[in-house]
Amino acid sequence: MSNIQLIIEERAADIGKFLVGRLLPFRQKRMIGPFIYLDHMGPVKLNAREQMDILPHPHIGLSTLTFLFEGSIMHRDTLGNAVEIRPGAVNWMTAGKGIVHSERTPDHLRDSELTMHGLQIWVALPKELEQMEPEFFHIEAQQLPAWEEEGLQWKLVAGEVLGHRSPVPVYSPLYMLEIKSSKRQTINLEGKLFGESGLYILKGGIESEGNRFGPKQILVAKEASLCEFIIEADSTIYIFGGEPFPEERFIDWNFVATDKELIQKAKEKWAAQEFEKIPGDEEEYVPYPSFRKK
């Protein structure tokens, strides 16, 4: 019997100047554990006339995880943080009751050609924490747990699993693992994962029960504890998931909540421009698409 419950293919999604590969949410699977949103950005080449300028926009009820493979992003937020995100580092921003941030090409790279490539992820907060005070943490690449075993390079981007714990301060039981292979071999994670689990193929491929799967797909496991597959040589995959929440999550634009009223209030607050402003980035903002007041 196959342990693959669902296969999710990347779908093109327009986020302004960029088309990204949208993986979550999916109509048949809105979340995998606490993971509620996953975009594969790029790779896209920007010349000196093109810039990444995602204007100030708000979030509630979630943590964002930005993880780059190539390129650089200047993150600014209403807590006063101004941090350049480079490949391998983790930007972890917890919106809680509300935060605003912008993501732009750093000034020192605006006259250069630049390739942007990475993952943009949202992790929903537990119900009791969805209105917490906002927080921001930046974890450098060398701070993430990394180890090698029999031709496999492992990295724990977030969470706790396999006897390792990432310094990313998550708020529910979850994991996001990076695995890179130098040779074809079997990976057996039986009994080592928990909750719900998804496997995202960035590069190369895997084989499971006689079937091959290639890049830009998420394989959703029926049972996370029964995870065994063959990874091809020169492949990069991500395994992510964790304990699902008992309550449904609603998502509207950049807002996530267990209560639609919280989302409505956030929409009205953003339309009235009553969120705090980003120091040094106050002039422009992304309007709520087709705002309709109740």
Side-chain angles (χ1 to χ4, degrees):
M1 180 181 293
S2 173
N3 190 38
I4 298 173
Q5 179 185 43
L6 182 67
I7 300 169
I8 302 175
E9 303 272 357
E10 284 189 15
R11 294 100 58 209
D14 191 344
I15 61 168
K17 291 186 178 180
F18 295 95
L19 280 176
V20 298
R22 177 72 36 86
L23 289 147
L24 284 179
F26 185 62
R27 63 184 180 278
Q28 293 171 261
K29 187 67 178 171
R30 307 298 294 177
M31 299 175 68
I32 298 176
F35 291 79
I36 195 168
Y37 178 100
L38 196 158
D39 271 356
H40 176 209
M41 175 180 62
V44 59
K45 293 188 181 295
L46 304 177
N47 60 38
R49 299 183 305 277
E50 298 171 316
Q51 309 296 339
M52 177 176 179
D53 280 307
I54 300 177
L55 302 180
H57 57 280
H59 292 285
I60 66 166
L62 55 83
S63 297
T64 63
L65 190 162
T66 303
F67 190 70
L68 294 181
F69 311 128
E70 297 178 86
S72 184
I73 297 174
M74 190 67 194
H75 163 99
R76 292 185 175 86
D77 62 42
T78 45
L79 297 177
N81 297 294
V83 177
E84 184 175 345
I85 315 169
R86 297 183 176 90
V90 173
N91 244 39
W92 179 260
M93 183 184 75
T94 297
K97 66 181 185 181
I99 198 168
V100 178
H101 73 136
S102 63
E103 298 159 290
R104 300 179 183 270
T105 301
D107 288 343
H108 68 94
L109 296 174
R110 284 187 171 257
D111 295 325
S112 309
E113 291 189 352
L114 187 66
T115 298
M116 293 300 303
H117 191 198
L119 297 176
Q120 291 274 18
I121 296 167
W122 296 357
V123 179
L125 287 167
K127 179 178 173 64
E128 66 273 15
L129 293 176
E130 63 182 349
Q131 288 287 286
M132 67 180 282
E133 292 294 324
E135 295 180 342
F136 173 84
F137 295 90
H138 180 82
I139 294 87
E140 296 292 353
Q142 62 270 23
Q143 296 176 265
L144 299 176
W147 64 100
E148 292 192 24
E149 291 178 5
E150 300 178 352
L152 295 173
Q153 294 178 299
W154 300 74
K155 182 179 292 183
L156 183 58
V157 178
E160 187 171 3
V161 76
L162 304 180
H164 297 271
R165 184 177 183 178
S166 167
V168 176
V170 302
Y171 288 100
S172 66
L174 61 86
Y175 47 87
M176 180 177 169
L177 279 165
E178 177 189 82
I179 307 174
K180 294 184 176 183
S181 64
S182 60
K183 64 181 181 180
R184 177 185 169 89
Q185 62 181 294
T186 298
I187 295 178
N188 187 345
L189 293 171
E190 185 172 348
K192 298 178 181 179
L193 303 178
F194 59 89
E196 297 180 329
S197 185
L199 188 157
Y200 175 61
I201 304 167
L202 177 72
K203 177 185 176 185
I206 72 156
E207 293 178 21
S208 176
E209 293 150 334
N211 299 303
R212 183 191 184 273
F213 303 94
K216 300 185 178 182
Q217 297 183 97
I218 290 179
L219 311 182
V220 182
K222 290 179 181 175
E223 177 56 62
S225 62
L226 303 176
C227 189
E228 182 176 350
F229 55 91
I230 296 170
I231 188 169
E232 296 177 353
D234 196 28
S235 294
T236 301
I237 65 172
Y238 292 86
I239 299 177
F240 65 97
E243 296 294 347
F245 296 125
E247 316 89 2
E248 182 181 2
R249 289 300 184 281
F250 301 103
I251 181 168
D252 185 328
W253 192 41
N254 298 318
F255 305 131
V256 170
T258 56
D259 184 346
K260 289 183 178 179
E261 187 60 32
L262 287 174
I263 290 177
Q264 181 63 25
K265 288 178 179 177
K267 287 159 60 174
E268 293 174 357
K269 184 177 178 181
W270 183 246
Q273 279 298 286
E274 293 173 350
F275 276 79
E276 292 184 32
K277 305 292 185 182
I278 300 173
D281 200 351
E282 306 98 337
E283 293 183 7
E284 300 176 286
Y285 65 92
V286 180
Y288 175 78
S290 330
F291 176 75
R292 296 290 184 270
K293 187 174 180 179
K294 281 186 176 178

